[in-house]
């Protein structure tokens, strides 16, 4: 069993509230737009991190993290990318793979809009944790927390931090 904290779009921002949730998890997954690598460095000091780079991330982030991160967590095939689209409207660069070899859990960021959708056509769960940082048009900072046990994804929680100032 693994307790996962999922965040995205930190845009160089990390605070004690985010770090409190990091400390309570087994692994942290970041779906891109890290900003300053000091964010991921602070997370890695506390917990294992799986991360992808996003469209705002610089060459250093792109050297450290991949564009796509596909891996097994327990019995769940996971695919994380930053710009992925949504069920029925996946990004052109991933659409073919989504049809021929869909994961069980597909994660992206970019939109700053928290969404969890079951994609019936591809039989997968789609997650976007919204934005944990303060940059962007979103009004509430958000993250997701869930458990992976064997081949099950369960105990999904939405974490709303606070309204941006």
């Amino acid at each position: 069993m693994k307790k996962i904290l999922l965040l995205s779009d930190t845009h160089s921002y990390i605070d004690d509230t985010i770090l409190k949730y990091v400390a309570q998890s087994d692994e942290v997954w970041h779906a891109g737009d890290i900003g300053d690598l000091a964010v991921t460095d602070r997370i890695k000091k506390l917990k294992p991190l799986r991360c992808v780079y996003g469209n705002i991330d610089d060459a250093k982030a792109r050297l450290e993290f991949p564009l796509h991160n596909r891996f097994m967590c327990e019995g769940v095939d996971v695919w994380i990318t930053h710009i992925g689209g949504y069920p029925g409207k996946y990004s052109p660069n991933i659409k073919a793979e989504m049809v021929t070899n869909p994961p069980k859990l597909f994660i992206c960021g970019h939109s700053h809009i928290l969404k969890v959708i079951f994609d019936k056509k591809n039989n997968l769960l789609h997650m976007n944790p919204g934005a944990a940082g303060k940059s962007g048009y979103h009004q509430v900072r958000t993250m997701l927390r869930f458990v992976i046990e064997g081949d099950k994804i369960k105990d999904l929680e939405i974490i709303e931090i606070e309204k941006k100032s």
Side-chain angles (χ1 to χ4, degrees):
M1 181 179 91
K2 286 198 189 266
K3 214 184 259 185
I4 308 299
L5 177 68
L6 175 60
L7 62 150
S8 186
D9 296 276
T10 47
H11 290 263
S12 302
Y13 185 80
I14 192 160
D15 61 11
D16 289 340
T17 303
I18 294 171
L19 292 172
K20 174 185 84 169
Y21 287 102
V22 167
Q24 294 171 3
S25 60
D26 296 321
E27 283 187 13
V28 178
W29 299 351
H30 194 302
D33 277 5
I34 303 154
D36 191 323
L37 287 180
V39 170
T40 50
D41 290 345
R42 288 189 71 191
I43 292 168
K44 287 190 293 187
K45 284 182 182 172
L46 297 173
K47 297 293 173 168
L49 172 69
R50 296 181 189 262
C51 188
V52 295
Y53 69 80
N55 57 296
I56 68 138
D57 293 317
D58 64 12
K60 286 172 75 174
R62 291 167 191 242
L63 284 173
E64 185 168 347
F65 301 109
L67 174 61
H68 302 285
N69 192 349
R70 191 155 184 181
F71 57 92
M72 292 297 293
C73 180
E74 302 231 346
V76 176
D77 181 4
V78 180
W79 182 359
I80 304 174
T81 195
H82 183 61
I83 301 175
Y86 292 98
K89 298 178 185 170
Y90 290 114
S91 296
N93 63 330
I94 65 161
K95 198 179 268 188
E97 180 80 6
M98 200 57 86
V99 171
T100 59
N101 187 22
K104 182 168 184 159
L105 175 58
F106 180 71
I107 295 168
C108 64
H110 187 62
S111 70
H112 293 219
I113 300 168
L114 186 147
K115 285 190 181 185
V116 177
I117 305 166
F118 186 74
D119 179 346
K120 292 178 190 171
K121 184 177 178 186
N122 294 305
N123 194 33
L124 63 89
L125 186 60
H126 176 283
M127 291 185 185
N128 183 323
K134 291 192 170 189
S135 295
Y137 62 87
H138 59 282
Q139 296 301 304
V140 178
R141 296 169 49 222
T142 57
M143 301 182 290
L144 291 171
R145 184 165 56 178
F146 55 95
V147 170
I148 293 184
E149 187 170 11
D151 64 353
K152 305 275 189 280
I153 303 161
K154 61 184 199 174
D155 300 334
L156 177 64
E157 297 173 76
I158 295 171
I159 299 167
E160 292 184 341
I161 301 175
E162 86 272 345
K163 290 195 180 239
K164 296 189 330 184
S165 50

